[in-house]
Amino acid sequence: MAINKNSNTYIIIYTVVMVVIVGALLAFLATSLKPMQDANVLNEQKVSIMKAFGEAELNFDDVVTIGRLNGGEFVAVTEAQDVADVFALLGNRKALSEATDSLPIFKFEKDGATKFVLPIVGKGLWGDIWGYVSLQQTLDNVMITGIVMDHAGETPGLGAEIATETVQKMFEGKKLYNAEGEFAIRMQKGGAQNEYQVDAITGGTKTSDGVNDMLKTSIGKYESFLRATEVAAEADTEECCSGECCAEANVELNNEEE
Amino acid sequence: MKLSKNFTNPLAANNPVIVQILGICSALAVTVKLEPALVMGLSVTFVCAFSNLIMSLLRNGIPSRIRIIVQLVVIATLVIVVDQFLRAYMYDVSKQLSVYVGLIITNCIVMGRVEAFALANKPWDSFVDGVANGLGYAFILVLVAFFRELFGSGELFGITILGDWYTPNSLMLFPPMALIIIGCIIWIHRTLNKDLQEK
């Protein structure tokens, strides 16, 4: 007896079998490839952080201290599970933008200078923008030493330029706060006027605005920590304003400026 | 004889991109550099070949009322397989291709070949047809990407070819230039193949 291929029973059985086979196949594939995919994502995060530090050739695991900011204090994270949690949070942009406590932060020390990398997340014109900014405290301010940014779908050639080295290089050496101590770093339409402004992207005004908001809100969460250490740096220099100690402090400062 | 014609036809005389004008969207999007263009071309070749093969094997058992759904399931499965492998083994390329890997599902070439060829032909013929159409697509993508990367960045596969004297023409990096290059390829192709010219 020939099977009627257009009967409802045949169609239902056919689709059910098909879906079960395909579902099993894809589930198996996804599970078996997941460890490698996760390793790729983790590696990318580490490379981005090293790029922000400006030390792309160094190995993240050897030189960087992973930490969280608990009540304004830098607390090193060492347990494997906690480290995994930090990276999971970096990968979850929504959770990261909503986080207010226990914020991830990365510390890197070289030649007596300490740099911190913070994750930044925000919204561009078409979708999410994110990245890492490397900061270093100076005597009376906080300086950007490097930044990496990426985006989900900004306009190629316009907003998408934020992911290029040309734009990211312009942030290096810029200050976060103006003379009045207000948070001032921004991409300025019409060109940078001073040391806390960066040229905005022509034709990418909305994305530039998004970058400004991203920097303000993301770095703003760390403000108390950045300010506190900044004050500490100032106090240190005030204590020793004469004699050998002063000369030493000056040497240190020179090192920092380099 | 028929098999070899099956294979060569989609590469030139009946190329899916420049004669049938299919798959233009992804051809514009992923041809800024050679590497993603090549990977995209090979991915489409893989999906096209195996969807043709599987559909041809199934062709006598598929209820005709739901054949489009079956086609979509097969194609979508293959695309997800490709996407998962790229994410695991070629993460950088997978990031550059972003959504366009997933969009292979909607590439008219794949479904067009399944519907027009695989459902009416034997598995091996269908497989060859799929490979040939995929390669026809890949060939045009690589050709476009060659010009765009060479003149847009002065590089090929990320290696600098044109030295410092060359100022990269960033216009080449914009999608309209891809369309213009494809237009030029179609123009040359039609000049060489008189039978394609409309009266």
Side-chain angles (χ1 to χ4, degrees):
Chain A
M1 195 190 88
I3 306 163
N4 177 9
K5 280 191 284 179
N6 278 319
S7 74
N8 288 343
T9 329
Y10 181 81
I11 289 178
I12 289 168
I13 294 171
Y14 195 95
T15 38
V16 168
V17 171
M18 178 176 73
V19 168
V20 168
I21 293 175
V22 167
L25 177 77
L26 290 183
F28 169 75
L29 195 73
T31 332
S32 49
L33 292 177
K34 188 126 200 348
M36 287 182 74
Q37 295 171 352
D38 289 348
N40 283 333
V41 173
L42 182 65
N43 185 44
E44 192 204 12
Q45 289 170 338
K46 289 180 177 176
V47 169
S48 300
I49 291 169
M50 288 322 291
K51 269 193 199 149
F53 277 128
E55 304 281 352
E57 67 281 0
L58 291 181
N59 186 354
F60 178 92
D61 297 316
D62 299 341
V63 293
V64 175
T65 316
I66 304 165
R68 280 181 184 262
L69 215 55
N70 280 333
E73 291 287 320
F74 180 92
V75 180
V77 170
T78 45
E79 297 284 325
Q81 183 55 44
D82 299 341
V83 170
D85 286 348
V86 169
F87 284 106
L89 181 59
L90 293 184
N92 185 345
R93 291 197 286 276
K94 191 164 181 293
L96 192 58
S97 65
E98 285 164 1
T100 50
D101 197 28
S102 209
L103 304 157
I105 183 165
F106 301 89
K107 186 160 84 171
F108 172 63
E109 287 172 271
K110 191 185 181 188
D111 305 333
T114 309
K115 294 180 192 174
F116 293 99
V117 157
L118 327 176
I120 45 178
V121 276
K123 292 253 180 282
L125 172 59
W126 303 113
D128 286 350
I129 50 177
W130 64 91
Y132 298 93
V133 59
S134 164
L135 302 173
Q136 184 178 354
Q137 279 127 350
T138 60
L139 198 52
D140 56 350
N141 215 321
V142 179
M143 184 176 74
I144 295 184
T145 60
I147 192 167
V148 288
M149 290 187 280
D150 208 349
H151 62 96
E154 297 307 299
T155 320
L158 301 175
E161 292 292 302
I162 61 163
T164 62
E165 216 167 280
T166 334
V167 170
Q168 293 172 6
K169 272 255 181 279
M170 295 195 299
F171 280 89
E172 286 175 17
K174 296 288 176 178
K175 304 283 186 348
L176 289 190
Y177 304 104
N178 63 13
E180 285 77 47
E182 293 156 338
F183 189 88
I185 180 83
R186 64 191 319 265
M187 297 188 87
Q188 180 67 32
K189 210 173 169 180
Q193 309 287 330
N194 44 47
E195 56 181 8
Y196 38 82
Q197 289 182 349
V198 175
D199 298 347
I201 299 161
T202 312
T205 309
K206 288 282 174 194
T207 309
S208 302
D209 290 348
V211 170
N212 294 339
D213 286 346
M214 168 168 78
L215 292 173
K216 191 164 188 181
T217 49
S218 299
I219 299 179
K221 291 182 193 171
Y222 294 84
E223 191 164 11
S224 59
F225 171 73
L226 294 170
R227 293 275 193 177
T229 19
E230 181 192 305
V231 172
E234 245 174 320
D236 280 352
T237 34
E238 272 169 22
E239 273 171 25
C240 51
C241 50
S242 62
E244 286 175 36
C245 182
C246 190
E248 264 174 39
N250 281 337
V251 170
E252 271 174 31
L253 281 177
N254 287 339
N255 280 343
E256 272 180 21
E257 274 160 17
E258 279 167 15
Chain B
M1 187 61 209
K2 186 172 161 278
L3 198 65
S4 67
K5 194 156 176 283
N6 257 349
F7 187 75
T8 52
N9 223 11
L11 290 181
N14 199 13
N15 187 291
V17 182
I18 58 173
V19 178
Q20 299 167 24
I21 320 290
L22 297 176
I24 294 290
C25 168
S26 52
L28 304 189
V30 301
T31 49
V32 173
K33 296 211 176 302
L34 265 172
E35 194 186 3
L38 188 64
V39 173
M40 182 72 178
L42 294 178
S43 304
V44 170
T45 307
F46 171 84
V47 172
C48 202
F50 283 92
S51 60
N52 260 10
L53 177 69
I54 294 169
M55 288 311 290
S56 179
L57 288 169
L58 295 176
R59 71 186 189 283
N60 293 324
I62 297 174
S64 60
R65 286 200 314 204
I66 58 160
R67 70 173 196 290
I68 301 282
I69 296 171
V70 178
Q71 288 170 16
L72 268 180
V73 170
V74 170
I75 294 168
T77 309
L78 288 166
V79 169
I80 293 172
V81 170
V82 169
D83 190 34
Q84 294 287 326
F85 270 100
L86 286 182
R87 275 168 205 251
Y89 294 98
M90 301 181 78
Y91 187 69
D92 288 343
V93 179
S94 141
K95 266 188 66 190
Q96 286 179 47
L97 290 173
S98 65
V99 297
Y100 292 97
V101 177
L103 286 178
I104 295 175
I105 299 172
T106 62
N107 193 318
C108 307
I109 299 170
V110 181
M111 209 151 163
R113 291 326 291 173
V114 169
E115 180 77 6
F117 196 91
L119 287 179
N121 285 282
K122 293 213 170 77
W124 176 242
D125 288 343
S126 304
F127 183 75
V128 170
D129 181 78
V131 171
N133 275 282
L135 289 180
Y137 170 84
F139 172 63
I140 299 301
L141 246 65
V142 168
L143 196 62
V144 174
F146 173 82
F147 288 113
R148 287 183 77 188
E149 188 173 359
L150 184 63
F151 296 113
S153 330
E155 299 172 342
L156 289 177
F157 285 109
I159 300 158
T160 309
I161 301 289
L162 303 177
D164 292 336
W165 53 269
Y166 181 75
T167 310
N169 181 353
S170 49
L171 185 62
M172 295 299 282
L173 302 177
F174 289 90
M177 254 349 257
L179 198 59
I180 290 169
I181 294 172
I182 292 181
C184 293
I185 296 172
I186 294 176
W187 179 17
I188 296 167
H189 187 67
R190 293 202 168 204
T191 313
L192 297 175
N193 295 274
K194 297 260 186 286
D195 54 321
L196 286 174
Q197 297 170 6
E198 287 89 0
K199 292 278 150 24

